[in-house]
Amino acid sequence: RKEVEQDPGPFNVPEGATVAFNCTYSNSASQSFFWYRQDCRKEPKLLMSVYSSGNEDGRFTAQLNRASQYISLLIRDSKLSDSATYLCVVNIRGGADGLTFGKGTHLIIQP
Amino acid sequence: GAVVSQHPSRVICKSGTSVKIECRSLDFQATTMFWYRQFPKKSLMLMATSNEGSKATYEQGVEKDKFLINHASLTLSTLTVTSAHPEDSSFYICSAREGASVDEQYFGPGTRLTVT
């Protein structure tokens, strides 16, 4: 079983719609959780960290469910510029450790 | 946010040669840097953790003699792909941590390596 699993998509969504992605992780001892955004042939950029209490940043809302070991990302009022690959990222071992990336979910916002 | 640079951004080399990739933190000191590799349509895979002044820690399956890592200063880590082969062609990305918070991990723009 992969450590971090995501639906690769693509998700084709009309502009203005709401879209949600889920991600599951296998290691229950995982410490920290993030959503990154990666544009084609570019480096990943941190979108937001994910906390147990849930957190919101503008049109983006992230949730963590430790009991079920999944993380979600909700994008409201989607924009054309939201088209990208969204990477679910987990710090499994905690501390000063590298990150474990999911394969990413490809989102295409259509005008 | 903090800035991390990589050089070169793109390199094409012949099979059997060695290629050095530099990762620099431009406006902060990074005691820890990470090297990742991403094959087309695949996720980023952590290759190794580079610690300033000590040996790098390699992930399982990554050959330390093939991927030489040196972290000589708090702002520079280098990855050398030795005796490159076509299967080493990939997108290599470094990241650096600023401070103790895992949230503060910034990625370089990546180096696209093509081995012919």
Side-chain angles (χ1 to χ4, degrees):
Chain A
R1 182 181 173 189
K2 292 188 173 64
E3 291 180 338
V4 179
E5 292 206 60
Q6 295 180 249
D7 181 344
F11 284 50
N12 289 282
V13 174
E15 190 176 7
T18 295
V19 60
F21 310 134
N22 283 336
C23 156
T24 58
Y25 60 95
S26 61
N27 191 324
S28 60
S30 296
Q31 305 283 319
S32 310
F33 310 89
F34 312 90
W35 284 101
Y36 276 74
R37 170 193 169 130
Q38 186 175 26
D39 293 293
C40 188
R41 301 173 81 86
K42 299 284 188 181
E43 76 275 22
K45 292 187 188 293
L46 179 65
L47 181 64
M48 57 199 308
S49 302
V50 189
Y51 305 114
S52 297
S53 55
N55 49 305
E56 186 174 314
D57 182 3
R59 298 181 293 108
F60 299 84
T61 301
Q63 294 275 356
L64 166 64
N65 185 318
R66 283 191 182 270
S68 302
Q69 295 179 207
Y70 79 79
I71 306 149
S72 66
L73 176 68
L74 182 80
I75 305 175
R76 289 181 296 278
D77 187 24
S78 54
K79 313 289 184 192
L80 295 176
S81 57
D82 293 335
S83 298
T85 296
Y86 290 83
L87 305 171
C88 177
V89 183
V90 175
N91 183 322
I92 290 179
R93 297 190 289 246
D97 256 354
L99 302 173
T100 300
F101 285 78
K103 288 179 71 172
T105 297
H106 189 39
L107 173 65
I108 302 169
I109 305 298
Q110 295 175 328
Chain B
V3 179
V4 175
S5 71
Q6 270 184 252
H7 177 80
S9 58
R10 189 184 299 264
V11 58
I12 301 172
C13 71
K14 291 187 177 179
S15 214
T17 60
S18 294
V19 175
K20 181 187 282 189
I21 303 169
E22 292 185 348
C23 177
R24 292 181 187 272
S25 56
L26 297 184
D27 52 0
F28 66 98
Q29 293 186 328
T31 53
T32 305
M33 291 183 173
F34 305 93
W35 286 96
Y36 296 83
R37 180 168 56 183
Q38 186 176 33
F39 291 108
K41 299 188 177 181
K42 301 288 185 183
S43 59
L44 274 79
M45 296 294 294
L46 179 65
M47 297 174 67
T49 302
S50 170
N51 298 295
E52 187 266 336
S54 64
K55 290 183 180 179
T57 303
Y58 289 82
E59 294 299 301
Q60 193 173 14
V62 178
E63 298 175 57
K64 62 180 181 181
D65 294 330
K66 177 156 183 71
F67 299 100
L68 300 178
I69 291 172
N70 184 278
H71 194 154
S73 77
L74 286 171
T75 59
L76 173 64
S77 175
T78 60
L79 168 69
T80 302
V81 183
T82 62
S83 187
H85 290 283
E87 56 265 31
D88 298 324
S89 299
S90 185
F91 191 44
Y92 292 87
I93 308 177
C94 72
S95 72
R97 290 179 64 248
E98 178 185 33
S101 168
V102 175
D103 288 0
E104 297 169 345
Q105 185 169 150
Y106 298 95
F107 284 81
T111 297
R112 194 162 299 280
L113 170 65
T114 303
V115 185
T116 60

